[in-house]
Amino acid sequence: CAGPPPEDPGEPGAAAAAAGSLFRPLSAEDGEQRPAEIESLCMNCFRNGVTRLLLTRIPFFKEIIVSSFACDSCSWSNTEIQSAGRIQEQGVRYTLAITSRQDMNREVVKTDCATARIPELDFEIPAFTQKGVLTTIEGIIDRAVAGLEQDQPIRRVTDEEVASKIDEFIGKLKQLKEVHSPFTFIIDDPSGNSFVENPHAPQKDDALVVTHYRRTPQQAAMLGLEVLQFNTNCPECNAPANTNMKLVQIPHFKEVIIMATNCDSCGHRTNEVKSGGAIEPQGTRITLQITDPSDMTRDILKSETCSVEIPELEFELGMGALGGKFTTLEGLLKDIRDLVERNPFTLGDSSTPGKTEKLQEFIGKLNEIIEGKTKAHFIMDDPAGNSYLQNVYAPEEDPELKVERYERTFEQNEDLGLNDMKTEGYESEGASGR
């Protein structure tokens, strides 16, 4: 249930335009919805089949990714959906009173972390037992029936009594599709990304109750959202505040610790990212050649020991500036721009006219890089080796990205406090000194 890199809240129009160019409404004409086709391995016969990916938008809901695989060799097929958004702030529960055959045709998005229930039959499809699916309520029931029927021939031989009870239950599920009597259909999704269609939208649907709720610690742990919270003081007003801390695994890199503090008294907010591992044996120098606006969406982890350089602008940001950050390349460049703009000695009343003109020119060139109008090199140099820039071709090599490892100098080890650090033999020395 994971999602894309964080968007810049300052430019909702740009984000909406970008999303609109990728995602088409589910009701769009067939000519507008052309799925991407990728040759991929069939896990049934291990020959090549075709995976089709479709980015689509469900009216009055959100964007989803529909993937469908088909193998011509063995006729095996598989379809699933994934949310194209992030995990929502709250979980969601849809409770639908089904009273007519028409209700069975309502569209349903059921993510893999959602639970589906029919209380009248004491029937439940637990979370993570099925892949995400875009279907109808009738399709949910048909899928459950197919799953129960799959091993029935073997059960009839090994345990006829159990097979008979399952046949009886399958009959009850099939009867539900005829809607001879009303029943209740419930989808409970802690991620908040499931959906049941309201055919009367945007008007209210009296048969459908949508409930948003705060996740329990167990549900947060199930989604990988375990967040530790401890008491601290606000760095601005010194009032008691809470700091949230979470360990995050960055793909193809390592674990990092994200910390965020919010003060209810003065409204101060701060966040910081620290490496979850040790200092690496070698330093890391990462060079990205920015050639396309899409480079701005690359994930980036800048540790507090990392310096940043943009040769084309003759710009260098020293170690410790901006602290540790986990964002996108666009986000980091905007933070650099804001850092320059908010400095009273550069663009404020204390600056000189000549310096102000040069800095305005610098900001203009930096904006051109952010907007993808100018090509440039972006260099990160981290003696601790704990910074990261996303390789969008992973696990293959990225032609625009160069990662170099190097031996640290004595001065760099001194800055990191490694020259006076002893990790071997200190127990015996301590014992002999007593």
Side-chain angles (χ1 to χ4, degrees), residues 34 62 106 150 302 311 342 350 365 375 407 409:
R34 296 179 180 176
K62 61 182 68 174
R106 293 188 186 224
Q150 185 174 3
K302 176 197 168 297
R342 293 172 184 171
S350 303
K365 291 180 178 179
K375 296 181 179 181
E407 297 295 331
T409 64

Side-chain angles (χ1 to χ4, degrees), residues 21-57:
S21 63
L22 290 174
F23 295 90
R24 299 290 186 185
L26 193 62
S27 58
E29 297 295 331
D30 292 340
E32 294 184 28
Q33 290 187 296
R34 296 179 180 176
E37 295 188 354
I38 305 170
E39 188 175 359
S40 50
L41 182 68
C42 174
M43 301 308 295
N44 187 51
C45 69
F46 298 102
R47 296 181 180 178
N48 283 343
V50 176
T51 296
R52 293 176 174 84
L53 296 175
L54 179 65
L55 310 181
T56 189
R57 187 188 310 113

Side-chain angles (χ1 to χ4, degrees), residues 166-391:
I166 292 177
D167 281 335
E168 182 182 351
F169 189 79
I170 289 173
K172 291 179 180 179
L173 284 176
K174 290 181 177 179
Q175 283 293 318
L176 284 182
K177 298 195 302 180
E178 302 303 323
V179 197
H180 293 308
S181 60
F183 66 93
T184 307
F185 178 79
I186 302 172
I187 280 191
D188 192 329
D189 187 353
S191 76
N193 285 326
S194 288
F195 168 76
V196 175
E197 179 192 9
N198 172 6
H200 309 293
Q203 279 76 36
K204 182 182 177 181
D205 185 349
D206 293 331
L208 183 64
V209 177
V210 183
T211 306
H212 296 274
Y213 61 87
R214 186 184 297 273
R215 282 183 285 268
T216 66
Q218 292 77 14
Q219 289 173 324
M222 179 183 72
L223 297 173
L225 298 178
E226 302 108 313
V227 176
L228 301 177
Q229 189 175 82
F230 54 90
N231 297 325
T232 184
N233 288 345
C234 173
E236 290 293 322
C237 68
N238 205 36
N242 291 325
T243 294
N244 296 326
M245 182 175 72
K246 176 170 172 54
L247 194 65
V248 177
Q249 175 69 45
I250 299 180
H252 307 288
F253 188 53
K254 61 173 68 174
E255 289 181 335
V256 297
I257 299 171
I258 300 179
M259 304 177 68
T261 301
N262 295 327
C263 179
D264 294 333
S265 299
C266 69
H268 178 72
R269 301 175 64 186
T270 181
N271 62 79
E272 189 175 0
V273 178
K274 293 184 178 292
S275 170
I279 294 176
E280 294 294 314
Q282 293 180 306
T284 304
R285 182 180 173 89
I286 305 172
T287 303
L288 172 67
Q289 185 175 359
I290 302 172
T291 58
D292 189 86
S294 63
D295 287 326
M296 292 294 111
T297 64
R298 292 178 186 247
D299 288 338
I300 189 169
L301 170 64
K302 176 197 168 297
S303 77
E304 62 272 18
T305 59
C306 179
S307 62
V308 173
E309 183 181 354
I310 305 176
E312 287 79 1
L313 300 184
E314 298 182 359
F315 172 79
E316 184 172 348
L317 183 72
M319 181 178 12
L322 290 178
K325 284 188 173 291
F326 183 40
T327 178
T328 60
L329 179 56
E330 180 181 12
L332 184 59
L333 292 177
K334 287 183 176 180
D335 286 339
I336 292 173
R337 181 189 64 190
D338 294 343
L339 183 68
V340 174
E341 288 180 333
R342 293 172 184 171
N343 189 335
F345 296 101
T346 56
L347 293 179
D349 296 336
S350 303
S351 62
T352 61
K355 183 183 292 186
T356 299
E357 185 177 339
K358 288 183 179 180
L359 286 169
Q360 290 286 9
E361 182 181 354
F362 166 81
I363 291 174
K365 291 180 178 179
L366 183 60
N367 283 331
E368 289 182 356
I369 294 175
I370 294 173
E371 294 166 5
K373 298 178 181 178
T374 302
K375 296 181 179 181
H377 289 82
F378 180 83
I379 302 172
M380 302 171 65
D381 193 333
D382 188 356
N386 286 327
S387 292
Y388 160 85
L389 185 56
Q390 182 186 12
N391 173 3

Side-chain angles (χ1 to χ4, degrees), residues 417-428:
L418 298 178
N419 291 334
D420 298 326
M421 186 181 296
K422 189 164 188 177
T423 59
E424 296 178 0
Y426 58 88
E427 301 97 334
S428 59

